[in-house]
Every structure is written in C-alpha cells, then in structure tokens.
C-alpha cells in the first residue's frame, strides 16, 4: 500500500472511530434517530480500515481499504445528514455507500482466497 492510501485509510479509521463513539453516546442520551446505525457502521469499519492501513500488503487489500473508506464516508455521511437536516447527502448516497462497503468486504474475501493459492 502506498503512503497516501495508508494515510487515508488510517485517517478515515480515526474519524469513523471518533464519530462512531460520539454517535453512540448521542443515540443513547439524546435522540436515537439514525445515529444508532451510524455508530454501528462507523465502529465496525474503523478497526478494519486501521488494520488495512497498517497491514495491507497487496493491491487488492489496498483497493479494499479505499473502497471501504469511500463507502463508509458515503453511508455515514448520508445517515448524519438525514438525522440533522431531514434530507440525504445526495440521491442514492446511502445505497451507493452500502454497495461500496459490500464490495470492499468482497475484495477482502478475494484477497484471502488468492493468498491460499500462494
């Protein structure tokens, strides 16, 4: 993984982790709304991105990290925007983010299967 991709993955992991904890706290103390799902997505993908940013050794894992980062940003961004403003980030941003998250996890699966062949 190149230095820029590594930095992006680790920075997005930090932002997802921090915002996920804040969203979890807010959803339990203030208003549930869409902050619970936000916290779930953010806090499950933050450690994955951190691990990929630190350990990714193949192009597929690097790509998976970037796809997961973009997917989490779109998905969480849409949930937060909907929660605070009542409308989404842009049309289809949450489904697009969700599809990118699925694609990122499938890329990780592919990387694992290819590693078995070595």
């Amino acid at each position: 993984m190149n230095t820029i991709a590594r930095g992006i993955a680790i920075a997005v992991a930090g932002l997802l982790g921090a915002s996920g904890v804040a969203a979890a706290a807010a959803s339990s103390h203030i208003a549930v709304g869409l902050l619970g799902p936000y916290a779930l997505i953010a806090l499950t993908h933050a450690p994955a991105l951190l691990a990929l940013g630190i350990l990714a050794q193949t192009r597929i894992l690097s790509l998976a990290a970037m796809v997961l980062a973009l997917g989490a940003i779109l998905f969480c961004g849409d949930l937060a925007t909907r929660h605070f403003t009542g409308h989404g980030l842009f049309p289809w941003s949450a489904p697009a983010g969700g599809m990118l998250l699925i694609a990122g996890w499938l890329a990780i699966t592919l990387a694992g299967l290819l590693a078995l062949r070595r």
Side-chain angles (χ1 to χ4, degrees):
M1 177 179 268
N2 69 43
T3 305
I4 294 172
R6 183 178 311 280
I8 290 170
I10 293 170
V12 172
L15 290 172
L16 287 172
S19 66
V21 170
S27 73
S28 66
H29 296 291
I30 300 169
V32 177
L34 296 171
L35 295 179
Y38 178 108
L40 176 66
I41 295 298
L43 291 173
T44 55
H45 288 83
L49 281 170
L50 179 60
L52 287 168
I54 294 169
L55 302 172
Q57 299 292 322
T58 67
R59 287 183 184 168
I60 293 174
L61 287 175
S62 296
L63 176 65
M66 294 301 98
V67 171
L68 282 177
L70 180 57
I73 289 167
L74 283 175
F75 195 87
C76 290
D78 187 75
L79 291 178
T81 302
R82 282 182 193 282
H83 178 80
F84 291 111
T85 68
H87 60 80
L89 195 58
F90 58 84
W92 292 93
S93 55
M99 287 185 273
L100 287 169
L101 290 171
I102 293 165
W105 286 107
L106 290 174
I108 291 169
T109 302
L110 177 62
L113 293 173
L114 291 174
L116 293 173
R117 292 181 32 185
R118 294 184 188 137

